[in-house]
Amino acid sequence: MRSPALRHVLTHLITPLLMCIGMGLAYMGAFVTPEPHHLPVAVVGTAPQAKVFAQTVKDTAGDKLDVRTVANRADAVGLLRSRDVTGAYVPSAHTPELLVASAASDMGATAVEKVFMPVAAKEGVPLKVTDVAAPVGDDPTGQGLFFLLIALSIGSYASVAALGAAGAGLAMRVRALLVLGVSAVVSGIGALLAGPVFHLAHHDLAGVWGMAWLYSAGILFIGVGLHTFLKRWTTLTMMVLFVMLNFTSSGGLFRPELQNGFFGTLHAFWNGAGFVEGIRSLLYFGDDGLARNVWTLVGWLLVGLLVTGIAALYERPRKARHAAGHGEPAAQTATVPAPDRSAAEAAREEAAEEIEEEVEETVGV
């Protein structure tokens, strides 16, 4: 290609086009056709009729449902509060009841209602739906936590461009300190949004802030460490890790039982799922499962610290050589021919332009 300017533009178009493909595949693959896959439900009762009814439901639904029987209503409520089942059906000739926990997943509760509404309709009786763990009135669908996740993610991975590119001349320990500061600010903004601004969290706001900090710091440390090796491709990598794969597997909109196996598998260990499920545990389910989700976030933070540490070791000899080169006597520097000085200035200007372009390429989704 003869035109360097045109080649430069076309090269920089690769990133947004790959983002377009990746976002389309991830979001449409995860959200367009939600269907139950082994959705766990329970039927209350130990009588032979209850067992026959449960088997009939299972045979009719096939792989869409995993059906179990429980002895009584209290056991069913316990399974809902521990999020082991998505719904529990209490058979009755006159007032059948469906128990759900919409704070765990509004979409999951809706899916269970679609399963058991026709069952009650065949009997000619109305179905009573009881929500044993409803979200707060300020977040009626329970999806506010998903949008909080988006805000924290954008604040975190967008900051990587500034810390990694514009801060490339700083020592890694300085960038690490900046990561701690930025993650504290991002998580503080998240706590303000969740608490005083939108009232998603009516209690345990300090816990929300703590989990937001773990989540944000993990992303920032991973991004700053990766930037040493990936440079301008860091933005695309961060988008893949913390948008395309992260938002879709978080369970913020659809629980893994309503998605295909790929996103359901990621939900078990990805950091966005750890954050969303952890906040749900904290706010609605009496800390049930909270420790596991906190350890998920801690694991991602440890990965970030490891990547940053490796990057620091990689940069050390390069920065030492660079410092030695700039430590030459002034007399030698003065003898450098003008064309060489112009080349050096051009190289510095090109590097500055690359930093500016990388920061501009960082987009929020």
Side-chain angles (χ1 to χ4, degrees), residues 7-291:
R7 182 170 61 251
H8 183 75
V9 171
L10 293 178
T11 300
H12 281 77
L13 281 173
I14 294 175
T15 297
L17 292 177
L18 289 176
M19 287 180 179
C20 177
I21 295 172
M23 291 298 294
L25 291 174
Y27 272 54
M28 297 179 75
F31 296 145
V32 169
T33 55
E35 292 183 354
H37 297 280
H38 298 283
L39 186 71
V41 298
V43 173
V44 177
T46 56
Q49 296 90 333
K51 296 184 180 295
V52 170
F53 173 77
Q55 188 60 49
T56 301
V57 172
K58 171 61 179 173
D59 293 342
T60 302
D63 291 338
K64 292 183 178 181
L65 299 180
D66 280 343
V67 187
R68 69 175 78 178
T69 57
V70 295
N72 52 57
R73 188 180 185 277
D75 289 346
V77 171
L79 290 173
L80 283 165
R81 292 193 179 278
S82 62
R83 286 168 288 178
D84 290 324
V85 299
T86 307
Y89 184 76
V90 185
S92 172
H94 304 290
T95 55
E97 183 182 20
L98 177 64
L99 306 175
V100 296
S102 60
S105 173
D106 184 67
M107 295 295 185
T110 301
V112 172
E113 288 184 36
K114 289 182 178 180
V115 170
F116 289 102
M117 281 286 187
V119 174
K122 286 183 179 179
E123 300 297 327
V125 292
L127 178 64
K128 177 185 176 182
V129 179
T130 302
D131 197 340
V132 301
V136 295
D138 296 293
D139 184 22
T141 65
Q143 295 175 4
L145 299 179
F146 174 70
F147 297 109
L148 175 62
L149 172 75
I150 293 176
L152 291 172
S153 303
I154 291 175
S156 300
Y157 80 73
S159 298
V160 167
L163 294 173
L170 299 173
M172 182 59 80
R173 63 178 179 275
V174 176
R175 277 175 278 168
L177 290 173
L178 288 172
V179 164
L180 294 176
V182 171
S183 59
V185 173
V186 169
S187 57
I189 293 172
L192 287 174
L193 293 173
V197 178
F198 291 106
H199 309 291
L200 306 179
H202 286 197
H203 58 87
D204 289 309
L205 192 57
V208 172
W209 175 83
M211 294 191 70
W213 181 83
L214 284 173
Y215 176 75
S216 177
I219 292 176
L220 281 161
F221 274 116
I222 289 173
V224 169
L226 287 178
H227 188 273
T228 297
F229 307 101
L230 301 181
K231 303 303 181 186
R232 63 179 297 266
W233 296 106
T234 307
T235 295
L236 179 59
T237 303
M238 298 297 285
M239 287 282 289
V240 172
L241 291 176
F242 302 115
V243 176
M244 298 176 192
L245 299 180
N246 190 28
F247 296 170
T248 49
S249 64
S250 67
L253 293 181
F254 301 119
R255 291 276 297 170
E257 297 86 1
L258 296 176
Q259 297 182 298
N260 62 45
F262 175 73
F263 295 105
T265 300
L266 292 182
H267 181 85
F269 61 90
W270 218 256
N271 61 340
F275 176 77
V276 171
E277 299 295 354
I279 297 298
R280 283 173 174 163
S281 298
L282 186 68
L283 298 181
Y284 298 119
F285 296 98
D287 296 349
D288 181 81
L290 177 61

Side-chain angles (χ1 to χ4, degrees), residues 268-329:
F269 61 90
W270 218 256
N271 61 340
F275 176 77
V276 171
E277 299 295 354
I279 297 298
R280 283 173 174 163
S281 298
L282 186 68
L283 298 181
Y284 298 119
F285 296 98
D287 296 349
D288 181 81
L290 177 61
R292 178 185 178 279
N293 291 301
V294 169
W295 278 113
T296 296
L297 296 177
V298 170
W300 280 82
L301 176 58
L302 292 176
V303 170
L305 292 172
L306 177 62
V307 174
T308 301
I310 294 173
L313 294 175
Y314 177 80
E315 288 181 357
R316 187 175 297 172
R318 298 176 63 209
K319 288 186 179 294
R321 289 194 300 269
H322 182 74
H326 282 274
E328 295 176 354

